[in-house]
Amino acid sequence: QVQLVESGGGLVQAGGSLRLSCAASGGTFSNYAMAWFRQAPGKEREFVAAITWSGSYTFYAEAVKGRFTISRDNTKNTLYLQMNNLKPEDTAVYYCAVDSQSRWRAPTKEGGAYNTWGQGTQVTVSS
């Protein structure tokens, strides 16, 4: 059973950058699609970005396209989210998730497809 631990969140001014990491353990990380989601106070969880098991294909929510980059290093069992040009509306708890139910399955923006989630890391962007 894969377990996930996020890190790298914090407080940053608008226009700044952060890089989130998600360390995986307890399973074969490299076989599975992964994604980042976020949840702002009083709002529903929303999709941010997803990546295939190999890292060869990625896709993003429109709100972050061109500013955020998802990547993975399967040799380090780690997923990343590079966030540039941050805006106050990016403030949220960010979660990584893995679809470990089926090897090599294509990623999706649907949260229900991911069966394992991290505990989340807070990102706060001040104006």
Side-chain angles (χ1 to χ4, degrees):
Q1 179 70 25
V2 176
Q3 296 177 324
L4 306 173
V5 177
E6 302 96 334
S7 61
L11 173 63
V12 64
Q13 288 188 333
S17 298
L18 284 173
R19 188 174 83 155
L20 305 183
S21 298
C22 172
S25 62
T28 308
F29 170 85
S30 59
N31 289 342
Y32 306 117
M34 298 192 71
W36 288 97
F37 290 79
R38 66 186 182 185
Q39 187 167 20
K43 295 187 177 181
E44 293 188 353
R45 182 182 64 195
E46 65 175 359
F47 169 77
V48 174
I51 188 166
T52 54
W53 63 273
S54 65
S56 60
Y57 179 72
T58 60
F59 62 99
Y60 300 89
E62 283 298 321
V64 306
K65 196 173 292 185
R67 300 188 297 122
F68 290 13
T69 302
I70 186 172
S71 62
R72 65 192 296 165
D73 186 338
N74 287 343
T75 66
K76 297 181 178 179
N77 287 347
T78 304
L79 176 73
Y80 302 100
L81 185 67
Q82 177 67 44
M83 305 185 294
N84 298 329
N85 190 22
L86 282 160
K87 304 176 180 180
E89 52 263 42
D90 294 318
T91 295
V93 177
Y94 283 70
Y95 300 90
C96 63
V98 62
D99 173 11
S100 61
Q101 299 171 98
S102 180
R103 295 179 182 181
W104 311 302
R105 183 156 62 186
T108 173
K109 64 181 181 180
E110 303 302 325
Y114 299 91
N115 61 311
T116 300
W117 296 75
Q119 83 290 348
T121 185
Q122 176 71 47
V123 171
T124 303
V125 185
S126 63
S127 58

